[in-house]
Amino acid sequence: MTETTDMTVILDKNLEDLEIQEVLKNGTDLREYALHIDKSIKEAEKNSVADYLKESENIASLHNQIEDCDSILEKMESMLLVFQNDLGSISNEIISLQKRSVNMSVQLSNRQALKGPLSSFIEDMAVSETLIFGINNVPVVDKEFMIQLAILNQKLNFVKEQDFKETKACHDVKDVLEKLKIKAVSKIRTYILEQIYKFRKPMANYQIPQNAMLKYKFFFEFILANERNVAQEICNEYIDTLSKVYYSYFKSYASRLDKLKYEEVPTKDDLMGIEDGSKGGFFQKSNLKNKSTIFTIGNRGDVLAQQLEAPIIVPHVQQKTKYSYEALFRSLQYALVDNSCREYLFTTEFFHVKGSHAQELFDRILGKTLSLLVKNVESYVLECYDCLALFLCIQLINRYRWMCHKRAVAALDSYWDSLLSSLWPRLEFVLKLNIQSVRDCDPAKLSNKEMGPHYITRRYAEFSAAMLSLSEQFPSEELSNLLLVLQDEVHCFLLKMAAEFPQRIQQLIFLINNYDMVLSILMERTRDNTKEAESFREQLQARSSEYVEEILSPHFGGLMQFVKEGEQLQESGKKSELTNLEKKSLSLVASFTSSWKQSLEEIHREVLVSFPNLVTGSGLLQMALTNFVQYYHKFVKLLTPNARTQLVNIHVIMVEIKKYKTNY
């Protein structure tokens, strides 16, 4: 209203100014104009009073309405003030509710986060009636007992952990769990000891209780984790029982096997260089009649092949059969390998041991048995003069060691080393005795002086081939060196023996027969590229070439000498002296023409008689005939045209030579 009044005043003032300007402009008298204005005001006042009186009722009614409105507005103002206060209070309550909602949300999250661990904690800590009943009343072999035992083990470990953290709830269940643990340990101890005692029954198959124990191997794990004294008691009882079981079994088995041995055994007189029958033969009461059996492998090598993993010898079933030592050794060691590997794997799995602890436990179980077997081998070795038996045992050890490693069992390594430390020195000792026997052999004192293969050579060939073939998979440098020494001694012996024959051709026949036999046996039994085979091959080739010259010389010596002299004169360029040989050549041609067929026949007969090996004899004959043809060709070239006309045609000679060709 104030602004409206101000605007009215301004407008009135503007109108007055305009009127005043209009009056001044028109030149109107101001007094008259003021009287006029005063008269107009009075009339307006009268009119206003009249209008006011006329509208007095309306004004009174308006006044009353205004007062009513003012009263209503006053009430509304008081109501709005109340509403304002209420809205302020509601706003505070909303803020408070928002804060409470946030707090409740945090509390809910915390409780939800705590719910899982708390539920798990309560579940792990609580001891149910099912657990108590299962441990106390269910038999140990029942599956339910195993389930409840696993639960008990889990709770015991959990309570130990919480007790370390000083959790008060542990005191509520600790006594109950301890009693359940004692009950479980007692039942398990009784069961495991019952299984162990089953080993002690005569003729018991201890694989059955072992398999039963492995089925419940968690039992020992539980005892080991919760009652170490009982675990140690069980372990000691098992060791004591199995140690006696194995010792008794292998002692009895070794003793019964020993009765199946050949009664006749090699002695210090059964060496390579000692003649048969000098001091009694070897195996004279058996199907093996002479000393060569010691040096011939025969089927004895089967123990390393198809018999390596064959079923063991059962003494009471095969009591009428006799065996060589290596066959009995194989059976005993294979039984040991089978039992030891199974025992080692069982102990590591059941008793939860590894590395040095597993080895220590294994040694406590089988140590006494292994010592017994080592002593048995040592007692045999002291009187053994059979190199093949010793070497076969060594090779068996190498193969069984490899077999154990293949089964992831290295526990027997020290045992194998102990056996090898006894066998190798004895093998070297006996082998050196054989070498010395060949070295000391005096050919002049031997009764056998035939040109065929000598018995010492045959023994050497068989023995060397056997040793080389057996050592192919596991070679030994020490053995190779000793065999080379033996080879040198045999070479020396053959040369000394050959010197006993008066004629050079006899010496060559003897050497060729012996070298050929050795090479044939080595080629048959071993690889072609062995040092021994190569050495004898060189010797055989050299002696064969010399023999061919010797056998041709009595029949065609003049022709051969003529060729040698003629070639020397040609090389030196002495043509005049070469011409002087013409007279000599004519006599040679005449002599050759008259006797060449007979000479070839005699050579053929002599070669085949001298060599028992038909292949060797045939080869030497063909070699001799080839050399003869070569000499003949050279002879023809050295002759004068006059002498050549008197010669036998080469084609005639070749046709005759073809008659002596064999299919060997």
Side-chain angles (χ1 to χ4, degrees), residues 330-355:
R330 180 213 71 85
S331 183
L332 184 62
Q333 302 308 316
Y334 186 57
L336 177 67
V337 167
D338 198 32
N339 284 276
S340 297
C341 289
R342 185 171 56 251
E343 184 60 37
Y344 181 83
L345 295 174
F346 170 80
T347 52
T348 54
E349 185 176 357
F350 185 80
F351 292 106
H352 301 280
V353 288
K354 295 180 181 179

Side-chain angles (χ1 to χ4, degrees), residues 375-391:
K375 288 180 181 178
N376 288 345
V377 172
E378 289 175 348
S379 64
Y380 166 77
V381 162
L382 289 176
E383 300 296 329
C384 179
Y385 289 89
D386 188 350
C387 287
L388 288 179
L390 293 170
F391 194 58

Side-chain angles (χ1 to χ4, degrees), residues 36 52 68 70 74 99 109 144 205 220 238 280 377 392 437 449 464 615 651:
H36 177 70
Y52 182 77
D68 291 339
D70 187 49
E74 184 178 359
K99 291 181 179 179
S109 299
E144 181 62 25
N205 183 357
F220 187 80
Y238 180 84
V377 172
L392 284 168
S437 72
K449 293 187 179 179
S464 180
V615 176
H651 296 293

Side-chain angles (χ1 to χ4, degrees), residues 95-273:
I95 293 172
S96 175
L97 288 173
Q98 287 178 339
K99 291 181 179 179
R100 289 177 62 189
S101 176
V102 171
N103 291 335
M104 290 176 69
S105 177
V106 171
Q107 289 176 358
L108 178 62
S109 299
N110 291 339
R111 290 182 181 183
Q112 287 178 339
L114 184 62
K115 179 182 178 181
L118 185 60
S119 299
S120 177
F121 176 85
I122 294 172
E123 185 178 351
D124 291 337
M125 187 69 72
V127 180
S128 66
E129 292 293 333
T130 305
L131 175 61
I132 296 172
F133 179 82
I135 297 299
N136 287 318
N137 301 317
V138 177
V140 292
V141 294
D142 197 299
K143 184 179 179 181
E144 181 62 25
F145 180 82
M146 181 73 77
I147 295 172
Q148 298 305 322
L149 184 67
I151 295 173
L152 176 61
N153 188 57
Q154 179 184 357
K155 290 185 181 298
L156 287 170
N157 293 332
F158 182 75
V159 168
K160 286 179 184 177
E161 181 182 349
Q162 296 301 320
D163 192 37
F164 181 76
K165 298 177 181 178
E166 298 182 354
T167 304
K168 293 183 178 181
C170 295
H171 301 293
D172 297 334
V173 296
K174 197 171 183 181
D175 292 339
V176 177
L177 290 176
E178 186 66 22
K179 291 177 181 178
L180 289 175
K181 181 188 78 172
I182 294 172
K183 182 64 177 179
V185 168
S186 175
K187 292 174 69 174
I188 292 172
R189 174 184 174 277
T190 302
Y191 172 75
I192 295 179
L193 290 179
E194 285 176 356
Q195 299 303 312
I196 293 174
Y197 293 151
K198 289 181 181 179
F199 295 124
R200 301 178 180 180
K201 296 179 180 179
M203 306 299 292
N205 183 357
Y206 53 86
Q207 294 182 39
I208 296 175
Q210 275 188 339
N211 291 335
M213 291 171 69
L214 279 179
K215 186 178 179 182
Y216 301 104
K217 61 183 178 180
F218 179 68
F219 287 171
F220 187 80
E221 183 180 346
F222 176 82
I223 292 179
L224 187 64
N226 297 284
E227 201 66 53
R228 284 191 171 271
N229 292 334
V230 176
Q232 189 63 49
E233 178 195 2
I234 291 173
C235 188
N236 291 338
E237 194 68 30
Y238 180 84
I239 291 170
D240 182 65
T241 300
L242 266 294
S243 176
K244 292 176 181 177
V245 168
Y246 283 123
Y247 181 79
S248 175
Y249 169 75
F250 279 100
K251 182 180 180 181
S252 173
Y253 186 59
S255 175
R256 287 184 291 165
L257 282 180
D258 192 57
K259 296 177 182 178
L260 302 180
K261 238 182 352 182
Y262 285 124
E263 295 178 1
E264 295 289 339
V265 295
T267 66
K268 62 182 179 180
D269 296 319
D270 297 307
L271 299 174
M272 190 175 293

Side-chain angles (χ1 to χ4, degrees), residues 592-593 596-597 600 625 628-629 632-633 646-660:
F592 176 82
T593 303
W596 68 275
K597 283 188 178 181
L600 291 179
L625 295 175
F628 161 68
V629 171
Y632 190 74
H633 275 295
Q646 303 178 35
L647 272 177
V648 180
N649 191 292
I650 186 64
H651 296 293
V652 176
I653 294 175
M654 295 303 296
V655 170
E656 187 68 23
I657 286 175
K658 287 181 179 179
K659 295 179 181 179
Y660 302 109

